[in-house]
Amino acid sequence: GMVVGPRGEGDSIFAVFPRASDAVGAALSAQRSLQVESWPDGIGIRVRMAVHTGESELREHDYYGAAVNRCARLRSIAHGDQVLVSEATA
């Protein structure tokens, strides 16, 4: 995939992938890597992620459209350590 840039609140990351299966695989790999990392002072990092499939418009090196907004809403309802997948992606 390709990291497009920060998106939404805080330190969130927005990335696009040519195939839904690539996006899901990357999300799962990232979650697994975060869970086995030894964080200082026993701190655990719990990251929420979402994957949605749809069309968007590329303008000035960024993506816009309903699919982008849908994925952001999906991510906002996830809990730490979760990867939510939309019905379109499933």
Side-chain angles (χ1 to χ4, degrees), residues 2-47:
M2 179 181 76
V3 174
V4 177
R7 178 67 59 125
E9 73 283 346
D11 56 0
S12 62
I13 298 293
F14 175 53
V16 295
F17 294 81
R19 295 188 316 239
S21 59
D22 294 339
V24 171
L28 292 175
S29 177
Q31 286 287 18
R32 288 178 179 146
S33 294
L34 288 165
Q35 290 173 2
V36 299
E37 183 68 31
S38 291
W39 300 100
D41 301 323
I43 295 172
I45 303 295
R46 300 183 71 217
V47 175

Side-chain angles (χ1 to χ4, degrees), residues 7 50 67-77:
R7 178 67 59 125
V68 175
N69 298 334
R70 174 82 181 225
C71 192
R73 286 192 300 274
L74 190 60
R75 186 202 68 228
S76 73
I77 63 172

